[in-house]
Amino acid sequence: MPGIFRAYDIRGRYPDELDEAMARRIGNAFARLLSAEQVVVGRDMRLSAESLAGALAKGVLEAGADVADVGEVSTPLLNYAIIAGGFDGGAMVTASHLPGDMNGVKLARRDAVPLSGDRGLPRLEAMVGEEPVARAPGSSRRVDMLDSYIGKVAGFVRNPRPLTIAVDAGNGMAGPEVPRLFERVPAWRLVPMYFVPDGRFPHHRANPLDPETTRDLQERVVREGADFGAAFDGDADRCGFIDERGERVREDLVTGLIADYLLGEVPGATILYDLRSSRAVVEAIERAGGRAVRSRVGHAFIKARMREEGALFAGELSGHYYYRDMGFTDNGLVTMVMVANILAASGKTLSALMKPLDRYPTTGEINLRASDPERVFTALAARYRDADLDHLDGLTVGYPAWWFNIRSSHTEPVVRLNLEADTEGLMHEKAREVLGVIREADPGAREV
């Protein structure tokens, strides 16, 4: 089991780190942890997903719980199924945006409340190490919730006008869902790309954060004269955007764009943003009359904080966007709908809408392999001790004209640095300075 239990899910290389025997034990422990009577199980299109999901379901059945098998679905559909079906919990076999030889499990309680490193996963890990329980087996049934789910998503569409939208599903689980949504919105014209689910990822990895993966979509948007492009990750809980010029749109700024729109519908609402987000996001929320709340990075932490705050919406730099009206869960398909709504309501292009938000130069996320992250954090805190410092997630250093956050990744053995400044020159100057402090504290630190 070493290393497969992460901060908010389970991930490992198949079959060396995560195999069917382990999946069966996870399913058995999960049902016991929740004292579940009914568990819904779904999977993505990875080559190992069907056998792993079958083994996990077998473990659930052996623990005495019933299994509802929703088959090959997106993570948002699985979350919807947990809520709409009133299940005690759900398990989604997926490794999201990671390479095809990886797989994993996302687990959630009733109401799609995720298990995480501080909310159930450590206990589950301990139970997986125990002897599995064999009770009178539960029953298994097949459940199809695609039409119901698409109906729920379509309910977010507002006053559609003719739009051409290019969509790259990355051979992932957005592929079966997007055409069904477009059938319900005749005003939209779909330009489909890589819609056939294929765990070999024959065209590119399903990771819209990686600029290499959106090049085909960028070209297609321009060639088709599309109003915008949307790129999904493998399990379709994340969505990235391309404007009508074929340019990538910064994920954190999309938080500000959607927040401004939703605050027009729900004045004064609370909006969460992850602490790596541009200052422009906070300014947009507050200018629209909303209450802006900083959050730790990671879907489990954000979902928990949203529930605590009763937040309407939340957004992350990673392209996860969360909705109270989808049970405080992240949903790439709803996010695409939101961007279409905003274009329809404003009559403007996506680039014109983003321009006022895109005003602070940023390094983007710089990933560094560091041998001793704590030594790096200590050195930075000492060097910038006159700044506004906080430790909500790693270290955030704030000055009036520039700021940065550095934090250890929950999913990879790296530290991640994001730095923003009022001017391009100051951004480059301070990035060199901060990287210099890091390398002085850890001479072996290098960008990856």
Side-chain angles (χ1 to χ4, degrees), residues 272-293:
L272 262 63
Y273 64 97
D274 101 51
L275 49 72
R276 302 166 297 175
S277 301
S278 171
R279 283 178 172 167
V281 173
V282 184
E283 293 165 359
I285 295 167
E286 293 179 345
R287 187 169 55 249
R291 175 173 169 258
V293 176

Side-chain angles (χ1 to χ4, degrees), residues 156 161 163 165 188 227-230 239-243 249 254-255 257-258 261 321 323 332-346 348-350 353-354:
F156 287 87
R161 69 172 176 84
L163 292 173
I165 306 170
W188 296 348
D227 293 282
F228 69 92
C239 189
F241 293 95
I242 307 300
D243 70 21
V249 177
V254 172
T255 301
L257 180 72
I258 295 175
Y261 171 76
Y321 306 99
Y323 302 87
L333 205 55
V334 170
T335 303
M336 184 184 72
V337 168
M338 288 294 167
V339 171
N341 286 346
I342 293 166
L343 264 64
S346 68
K348 296 180 180 180
T349 63
L350 185 54
L353 289 164
M354 299 311 303

Side-chain angles (χ1 to χ4, degrees), residues 129-403:
E130 299 168 359
E131 189 66 26
V133 168
R135 297 194 175 103
S139 62
S140 180
R141 61 191 171 98
R142 188 78 164 85
V143 177
D144 185 351
M145 300 193 74
L146 179 57
D147 281 343
S148 175
Y149 170 66
I150 294 300
K152 177 73 172 181
V153 173
F156 287 87
V157 178
R158 302 284 185 270
N159 303 315
R161 69 172 176 84
L163 292 173
T164 296
I165 306 170
V167 178
D168 183 348
N171 296 112
M173 295 318 305
E177 296 179 359
V178 171
R180 302 288 284 272
L181 174 63
F182 274 68
E183 288 172 6
R184 295 174 181 247
V185 192
W188 296 348
R189 179 173 81 90
L190 173 63
V191 179
M193 296 179 64
Y194 315 143
F195 269 37
V196 177
D198 188 337
R200 297 168 297 178
F201 300 107
H203 299 99
H204 58 72
R205 283 176 58 191
N207 180 11
L209 272 189
D210 181 356
E212 289 296 320
T213 71
T214 61
R215 293 193 188 282
D216 290 354
L217 178 60
Q218 290 171 266
E219 293 172 3
R220 191 71 177 274
V221 165
V222 174
R223 188 163 71 246
E224 296 281 348
D227 293 282
F228 69 92
F232 290 86
D233 68 346
D235 63 334
D237 58 1
R238 288 194 298 151
C239 189
F241 293 95
I242 307 300
D243 70 21
E244 78 288 351
R245 305 168 305 171
E247 299 293 329
R248 288 172 57 89
V249 177
R250 282 175 49 187
E251 290 80 4
D252 58 335
L253 302 185
V254 172
T255 301
L257 180 72
I258 295 175
D260 179 76
Y261 171 76
L262 290 176
L263 285 164
E265 293 191 338
V266 188
T270 296
I271 309 291
L272 262 63
Y273 64 97
D274 101 51
L275 49 72
R276 302 166 297 175
S277 301
S278 171
R279 283 178 172 167
V281 173
V282 184
E283 293 165 359
I285 295 167
E286 293 179 345
R287 187 169 55 249
R291 175 173 169 258
V293 176
R294 292 173 78 238
S295 174
R296 290 180 66 184
V297 176
H299 78 92
F301 306 124
I302 287 181
K303 289 170 182 174
R305 189 72 187 276
M306 283 186 77
R307 289 176 182 276
E308 291 167 5
E309 300 284 349
L312 175 67
F313 170 67
E316 275 194 283
L317 186 68
S318 57
H320 287 272
Y321 306 99
Y322 307 78
Y323 302 87
R324 181 190 65 194
D325 295 340
M326 289 300 289
F328 301 101
T329 64
D330 39 345
N331 193 299
L333 205 55
V334 170
T335 303
M336 184 184 72
V337 168
M338 288 294 167
V339 171
N341 286 346
I342 293 166
L343 264 64
S346 68
K348 296 180 180 180
T349 63
L350 185 54
S351 64
L353 289 164
M354 299 311 303
K355 188 174 181 179
L357 288 163
D358 195 4
R359 61 180 177 274
Y360 295 121
T362 176
T363 60
E365 194 153 72
I366 299 172
N367 294 313
L368 298 148
R369 201 169 298 281
S371 60
D372 190 347
E374 287 306 317
R375 182 189 299 172
V376 169
F377 296 164
T378 299
L380 288 167
R383 171 65 176 80
Y384 299 108
R385 57 186 174 276
D386 61 330
D388 180 12
L389 304 179
D390 82 55
H391 300 272
L392 176 61
D393 194 347
L395 172 68
T396 301
V397 172
Y399 288 97
W402 69 286
W403 66 273

